[in-house]
Amino acid sequence: LGEILDLTRERSHGIELMREESRRQAAQVKQASVLANPSLLMQAGQLSSGSARGDVVDVTLLQPLPWPGKRQAQQESAQARQALAQLEVEKSELRLQHEVTALLLRLATLKELKTHALERRARFAVLKQSLAARPQLSPVQRLEKGLIENQVRMLERGIALIEMEHDTLDGVLAQWLGRPVSLTIDWEKAPELLSLEHWQGLARTQSPAYRRQLMEKRELAAELKRSELEARPDWQLGVNYRQERLAPENNFYHAVVGLTLPLFDRGQHKSESLRAEQQLAEARFRRSTWEHDHQLITAFKLAQTQTKLMKTFGLRLIHDSEKNFRDAEQEFKKGRVDALTLLATDEQIHTSIDTAFETTMDAWLAYNKLRLLAGLAPEL
């Protein structure tokens, strides 16, 4: 299963697009730490002082510097966006892994159901031969023959539907993963549920949905901090050199300190908007947490019920049912059991065997749904 899940991550084109988005956000984090480019100003002209005239050259180099904390807030905001993008990758990978595992489980179940149906087909063929070998059929035996032939037709229909679903799922998985795959299931193994508190604790730390809410709150906090710092002035530091080509020549050297005055744009409206968005985020977080807890409890109860049913419909039931049918089959050949009893026995056993495999499948599907809500990879 681990090899197939790794292959699922590698082969998903949709997830690859999300990985590219995550890499783009990582580049944005690096860009957020880069200082603004310096400005180089050059002036040239003529200077007249009395009878003296000469050229003037003035060069100024300015480096903008943000107020302390602004660049850090910008980095934190970019890091939060990158974390959200990476979380989307993890969430999509996890969901796709669970989808593939569910298909593999269904494929394995169909394989067992088909094997069982083919065994039933062989048994009915033997019964038809047994009736045909009798020299003369009584009215009751002719009725029995018709019932058996009708049961065979119903069986052939079931086999055709199973084969169609099996081949369809097999083709879908082969297309997804790039090659045919199959998985051997231990039908005697049952999921280990542990306690509801255990799953709730995992969901608080592993669930992509829960972690996303925390990341969104973190991004909003960084954006709010950044907008509040807009009210602080930015610095401009630089040097200046001025040369006046007179007689004698004059040279001037200056240090330049400037401030960007936040008179009009202080980020005041953006801060107000972000504080309102924070309140909305808190409300969404509480609602999302409640909904996730409800889903987790529901999934746990379902997995608990399906796991209990495995004890009722287990492999032992399959072995006992097959033995009972073989006994009934021998009695029919000896004429001590009529066809109606045999067909009723076959139908009951057939339903029990199929239910045993499907109950195991349902138990693992319910268990893996619980793992998905807790943010864990699927198991079988």
Side-chain angles (χ1 to χ4, degrees):
L1 179 62
E3 180 185 352
I4 292 174
L5 296 184
D6 289 340
L7 190 60
T8 301
R9 283 194 295 266
E10 295 170 7
R11 291 279 301 174
S12 173
H13 302 299
I15 292 175
E16 182 57 32
L17 294 176
M18 294 182 180
R19 291 195 189 103
E20 290 297 331
E21 174 62 20
S22 179
R23 284 190 278 269
R24 186 183 76 84
Q25 292 293 345
Q28 293 289 341
V29 173
K30 295 177 182 178
Q31 184 63 37
S33 63
V34 176
L35 282 173
N37 292 322
S39 299
L40 180 64
L41 307 177
M42 299 185 66
Q43 301 180 73
Q46 292 283 324
L47 176 66
S48 176
S49 179
S51 60
R53 299 175 61 88
D55 296 330
V56 177
V57 177
D58 190 292
V59 179
T60 303
L61 180 65
L62 291 175
Q63 174 63 56
L65 292 174
W67 186 268
K70 279 189 176 182
R71 194 159 55 129
Q72 178 65 29
Q74 188 172 338
Q75 283 180 295
E76 290 175 0
S77 179
Q79 287 168 352
R81 288 193 295 271
Q82 182 200 7
L84 281 170
Q86 181 59 35
L87 192 58
E88 283 300 311
V89 174
E90 295 177 19
K91 179 182 175 181
S92 298
E93 285 182 348
L94 187 65
R95 186 170 294 279
L96 188 59
Q97 286 178 338
H98 278 270
E99 289 179 5
V100 168
T101 303
L103 290 179
L104 286 167
L105 184 57
R106 179 61 180 166
L107 201 60
T109 304
L110 288 170
K111 183 179 178 181
E112 295 293 343
L113 296 181
K114 180 181 177 181
T115 300
H116 172 229
L118 293 177
E119 291 173 354
R120 290 184 72 207
R121 175 201 276 173
R123 288 199 297 264
F124 277 113
V126 172
L127 293 178
K128 286 177 64 177
Q129 291 175 1
S130 175
L131 285 173
R134 296 178 182 179
Q136 187 174 1
L137 296 179
S138 66
V140 174
Q141 289 173 332
R142 284 196 296 271
L143 178 61
E144 291 174 345
K145 181 182 178 182
L147 290 172
I148 291 174
E149 289 174 347
N150 185 66
Q151 188 68 25
V152 169
R153 283 191 290 270
M154 297 296 294
L155 182 59
E156 291 296 338
R157 178 180 180 276
I159 292 174
L161 293 175
I162 289 174
E163 288 178 338
M164 179 192 69
E165 186 180 356
H166 181 280
D167 294 343
T168 301
L169 292 182
D170 198 32
V172 168
L173 281 170
Q175 184 179 15
W176 277 14
L177 303 179
R179 60 179 176 85
V181 294
S182 62
L183 195 64
T184 301
I185 305 296
D186 182 0
W187 296 102
E188 295 185 6
K189 180 182 176 183
E192 295 183 14
L193 281 183
L194 301 177
S195 65
L196 177 59
E197 291 74 17
H198 168 78
W199 295 104
Q200 289 174 330
L202 284 175
R204 289 289 186 274
T205 57
Q206 301 291 331
S207 168
Y210 189 83
R211 288 161 58 201
R212 179 178 179 80
Q213 297 287 334
L214 294 178
M215 289 296 177
E216 287 177 346
K217 290 170 65 176
R218 174 184 164 190
E219 182 190 13
L220 282 172
E223 283 292 325
L224 179 60
K225 178 181 176 182
R226 181 182 172 187
S227 69
E228 288 174 343
L229 286 172
E230 290 296 326
R232 301 291 187 271
D234 291 330
W235 296 90
Q236 289 190 357
L237 302 180
V239 292
N240 171 262
Y241 169 70
R242 178 183 175 89
Q243 183 185 71
E244 298 176 353
R245 295 174 182 173
L246 301 173
E249 185 176 89
N250 298 319
N251 294 283
F252 301 90
Y253 302 91
H254 305 274
V256 180
V257 178
L259 286 174
T260 301
L261 300 179
L263 297 178
F264 306 110
D265 183 4
R266 305 187 302 277
Q268 61 271 36
H269 301 300
K270 185 177 181 180
S271 297
E272 183 180 352
S273 173
L274 286 170
R275 289 190 188 95
E277 182 63 27
Q278 275 190 322
Q279 295 297 321
L280 287 173
E282 285 292 341
R284 285 196 299 266
F285 179 74
R286 289 191 295 270
R287 179 177 177 179
S288 176
T289 302
W290 180 87
E291 289 177 348
H292 195 270
D293 285 345
H294 178 69
Q295 292 175 358
L296 194 71
I297 293 170
T298 303
F300 179 79
K301 294 297 183 183
L302 178 61
Q304 199 174 44
T305 300
Q306 294 290 357
T307 304
K308 287 179 181 178
L309 287 174
M310 280 187 66
K311 298 177 181 178
T312 305
F313 297 94
L315 282 184
R316 182 177 178 182
L317 174 65
I318 296 175
H319 300 320
D320 293 344
S321 298
E322 290 178 338
K323 180 180 181 302
N324 292 336
F325 185 82
R326 284 193 296 268
D327 294 341
E329 183 181 14
Q330 292 300 322
E331 293 299 316
F332 173 78
K333 291 177 181 178
K334 295 175 182 178
R336 291 186 290 206
V337 171
D338 59 29
L340 290 176
T341 302
L342 181 67
L343 291 176
T345 304
D346 170 76
E347 182 63 28
Q348 185 182 33
I349 292 170
H350 161 67
T351 302
S352 298
I353 291 175
D354 286 1
T355 302
F357 285 116
E358 290 175 352
T359 298
T360 302
M361 178 187 71
D362 291 341
W364 281 106
L365 287 175
Y367 175 69
N368 279 327
K369 182 179 180 180
L370 188 62
R371 292 183 64 84
L372 176 61
L373 289 170
L376 302 177
E379 281 188 357
L380 283 178

